């Protein structure tokens, strides 16, 4: 008995003396603030302090890379975007988590396979624990599809019912139809050069069954499907999008949609609550979420990871275990977080509060992510540049995709992934 | 006698060095050392994925940089941008400075307004202008609409985007020109003007024969500083267009940024930076020569 008291006292003393502070670089998004609000509980429970350094997404990569390369990383815990989910493990910057998971019986079977594939495993090893998702889908105006005169007109013109589009061709056609026959834009598109255009276009590519690379890491974005996806994308951009769409990013597109000037947008699923909030949006109560027409959208998400050069790996793991425990994961979801686990997605309370969450789970399950390797960021830049050139008409679609494929092959070879 | 003076000079020189040493150390630490490091890096296969000096490439990085067609495009965009921005800002700035250099009312008020854009961060300026230039929701198109001018596609048209960025840059940076030139104008001596008035010179003659020649050093400084800054324009492009649509607004500094942080190819980015440095130096030398030579040649 006395022995135990001594042990406990010395433990407490040790904690008091060496009270660990975990430093984490976080993106300035709702999920971060949700977790931040819960932090005192973790501190009270473990005595480990957690400090969030909250910055904009665009600053994160440039801040993280020098830290990860240095002998002592000043961040003890990381959140890793799926863009970097290939680069970081390939560079050897992340601690493999398989041992930790096995040792503590941490249940990873509750995570959606598509999330684990994206921000969990890399080359068969577990490096990350999925944190939250931002899979993309179709957000559309329910009131427009209910408009009787519009429905009649559509029936007369195309001989079928105006309803939620289930194929990409239907989607583009409906958007064109709405733009011609109403004062709304068909689709609030985000075609700014760089990641906005690539993110949106990837939905078109994936839903038609296309991809960036084949299984041998040969570029295939210039195959028939790639060309068709790009044709449809540019058709939508020309006939069914706001005139400024070529310079729009996510926020600009959101503003058009929130002002009630567009019928739909292909966007991140967490955009729905934003558009449904009467304080921020004129179309609250008139919007709904559906999977990307054709079924497969772009998946995105973040995962927790521990840097190999972290000073406090055990404490970081303790934090991951806490923040991803069923209770905390559920509470994060109830506070508006974007879950990654079956049990949370289908939890009764969660579904009661957010009735569209099962649909989001469907979205995430079928969504595909962009290829993850050292040069993902460069790949997105290249494709973004060429798509933008094709969209402005400075290059033909085939020419632009051929150039991109050529550079993508080079990147795959540089990363040592290209196989004969 | 001579020896003693030399002795004083030497101790003075030592004291001088002692005073300069701290700032010199900082300069070497934050300017010379990184410059030297990046020069070394530019000859190796140094990337973020493999940050070692194990592969010596010689001039390979420079060759790659110079054979990239997109490099030449962005060099062209940059030069076009710098020449237009600096000449327009200088001309307009000089005009405004001349107008302000008189006895007029509300001078302080004008000063305050003119300094405002300069103290704003380019990112904030970019975000504000992005809203103003929004084709549907922007204020600018709204007012043009009232005048009966159809909506202008400011940033999404590959021809227009360049001019829109130019306009925003001028809006922000012109106050720098105005303030610098105004400071020069205010400090000009009064006597030549009085003499000229007695000799019966009119205002235009005074401008061309007194003001401009006397202002030459200030003008050179203003142009050179602005040129150097203009070559580094990056934040505005990043916020407004990201180099798009297509490649119409891709300036070199943004091009280099992408090579570094997207391509992770530090070595090639360093090589491209050194090419940019060369171009900037060339411009500055030409600007200096043009302004300092012409009076002798002219007279």
């Amino acid at each position: 008995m006395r022995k135990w008291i001594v042990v406990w006292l010395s433990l407490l003393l040790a904690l008091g003396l060496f009270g660990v502070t975990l430093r984490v670089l976080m993106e300035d998004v709702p999920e971060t603030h949700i977790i931040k609000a819960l932090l005192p509980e973790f501190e009270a429970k473990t005595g480990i302090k957690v400090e969030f350094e909250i910055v904009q997404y665009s600053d994160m990569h440039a801040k993280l890379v020098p830290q990860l390369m240095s002998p002592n990383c000043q961040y003890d815990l990381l959140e890793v975007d799926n863009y970097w989910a290939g680069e970081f493990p390939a560079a050897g910057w992340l601690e493999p988590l398989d041992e930790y998971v096995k040792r503590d019986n941490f249940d990873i079977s509750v995570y959606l396979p598509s999330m684990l594939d994206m921000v969990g495993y890399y080359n068969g090893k577990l490096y990350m624990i999925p944190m939250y998702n931002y899979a993309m889908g179709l957000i559309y105006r329910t009131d427009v599809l209910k408009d009787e005169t519009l429905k009649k007109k559509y029936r007369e013109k195309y001989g079928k019912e105006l309803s939620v589009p289930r194929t990409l061709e239907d989607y583009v056609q409906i958007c064109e139809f709405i733009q011609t026959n109403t004062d709304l834009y068909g689709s609030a598109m985000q075609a700014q050069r760089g990641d906005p255009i690539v993110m949106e276009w990837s939905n078109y590519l994936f839903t038609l069954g296309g991809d960036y690379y084949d299984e041998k890491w040969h570029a295939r974005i210039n195959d028939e499907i790639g060309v068709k996806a790009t044709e449809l994308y540019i058709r939508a951009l020309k006939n069914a999008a706001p005139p400024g769409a070529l310079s729009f990013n996510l926020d600009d597109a959101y503003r058009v949609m929130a002002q009630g000037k567009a019928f739909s947008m292909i966007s991140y699923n967490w955009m729905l609550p934003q558009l449904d909030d009467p304080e921020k949006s004129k179309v609250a109560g008139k919007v709904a979420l559906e999977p990307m027409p054709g079924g497969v959208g772009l998946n995105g998400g973040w995962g927790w990871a521990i840097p190999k050069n972290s000073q406090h790996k055990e404490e970081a793991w303790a934090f991951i275990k806490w923040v991803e425990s069923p209770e905390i994961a559920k509470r994060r979801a109830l506070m508006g977080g974007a879950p990654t686990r079956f049990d949370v997605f289908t939890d009764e309370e969660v579904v009661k509060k957010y009735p569209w969450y099962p649909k989001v789970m469907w979205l995430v399950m079928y969504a595909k992510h962009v290829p993850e390797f050292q040069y993902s960021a460069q790949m997105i830049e290249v494709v973004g540049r060429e798509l933008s050139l094709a969209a402005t008409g400075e290059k033909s679609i085939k020419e632009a995709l051929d150039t991109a494929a050529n550079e993508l092959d080079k990147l795959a070879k540089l990363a040592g992934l290209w196989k004969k | 006698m001579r020896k003693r003076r030399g002795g004083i000079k030497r101790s003075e020189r030592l004291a001088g060095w002692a005073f300069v040493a701290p700032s010199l150390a900082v300069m070497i630490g934050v300017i010379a050392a990184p410059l030297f490091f990046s020069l070394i890096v530019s000859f190796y296969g140094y990337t973020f994925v493999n940050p070692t000096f194990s592969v010596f490439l010689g001039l390979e990085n420079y060759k790659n940089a110079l054979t990239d067609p997109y490099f030449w495009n962005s060099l062209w965009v940059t030069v076009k941008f710098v020449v237009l921005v600096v000449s327009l800002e200088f001309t307009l700035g000089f005009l405004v400075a001349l107008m302000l250099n008189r006895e007029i009312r509300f001078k302080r008020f004008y000063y305050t307004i003119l300094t405002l854009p300069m103290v704003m961060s380019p990112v904030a300026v970019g975000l504000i202008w992005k809203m103003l230039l929004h084709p549907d929701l922007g204020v600018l198109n709204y007012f043009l609409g009232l005048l009966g001018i159809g909506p202008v596609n400011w940033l999404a048209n590959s021809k227009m985007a360049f001019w829109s960025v130019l306009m925003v840059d001028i809006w922000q940076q012109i106050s720098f020109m105005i303030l610098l030139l105004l400071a020069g104008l205010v400090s000009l001596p009064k006597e030549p003007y009085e003499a000229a008035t007695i000799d019966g010179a009119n205002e235009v003659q005074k401008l061309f024969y007194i003001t401009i020649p006397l202002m030459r050093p200030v003008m050179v400084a203003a142009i050179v500083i602005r040129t150097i800054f203009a070559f580094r324009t990056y934040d505005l492009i990043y916020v407004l267009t990201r180099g798009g649509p297509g490649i119409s607004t891709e300036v070199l500094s943004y091009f280099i940024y992408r090579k570094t942080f997207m391509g992770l190819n530090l070595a090639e980015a360093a090589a491209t930076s050194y090419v940019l440095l060369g171009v900037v130096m060339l411009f500055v030398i030409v600007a200096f020569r043009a302004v300092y030579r012409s009076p002798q040649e002219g007279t």
Side-chain angles (χ1 to χ4, degrees), chain B residues 230-286:
Chain B
F231 266 109
R232 298 198 316 210
T233 306
Y234 156 78
D235 7 31
L236 213 55
I237 301 282
Y238 181 82
V239 175
L240 284 175
T241 63
R242 300 228 188 158
I247 45 175
S248 56
T249 57
E250 184 167 71
V251 291
L252 257 183
S253 44
Y254 184 64
F255 181 82
I256 292 168
Y257 159 82
R258 283 201 303 108
K259 255 208 164 66
T260 320
F261 291 107
M262 307 289 169
L264 307 176
N265 195 340
L266 210 59
E268 210 176 300
T272 319
S273 305
Y274 265 92
V275 176
L276 174 62
L277 186 68
V279 176
V280 177
M281 294 279 264
L282 204 74
F283 255 75
V284 171
I285 291 170
V286 168

Side-chain angles (χ1 to χ4, degrees), chain A residues 359-383:
Chain A
K359 217 167 232 165
V360 175
M361 183 171 95
W362 198 94
L363 229 77
V364 178
M365 262 164 63
Y366 288 97
K368 251 169 95 164
H369 55 84
V370 294
E372 292 170 349
F373 63 123
Q374 284 100 311
Y375 300 108
S376 295
Q378 174 71 352
M379 175 193 81
I380 286 160
E381 271 301 315
V382 168
V383 177

Side-chain angles (χ1 to χ4, degrees), chain A residues 134-167:
Chain A
Y134 56 91
M136 293 178 87
L138 166 71
I139 296 176
Y140 70 100
R141 289 266 297 275
T142 46
D143 57 323
V144 176
L145 288 190
K146 281 183 201 137
D147 187 299
E148 284 306 323
T149 49
L150 216 55
K151 276 176 126 169
K152 200 171 149 244
K153 248 187 185 169
Y154 192 81
R155 207 178 302 126
E156 280 163 9
K157 189 161 180 204
Y158 297 105
K160 52 181 167 180
E161 287 302 316
L162 179 64
S163 59
V164 177
R166 294 298 175 200
T167 66

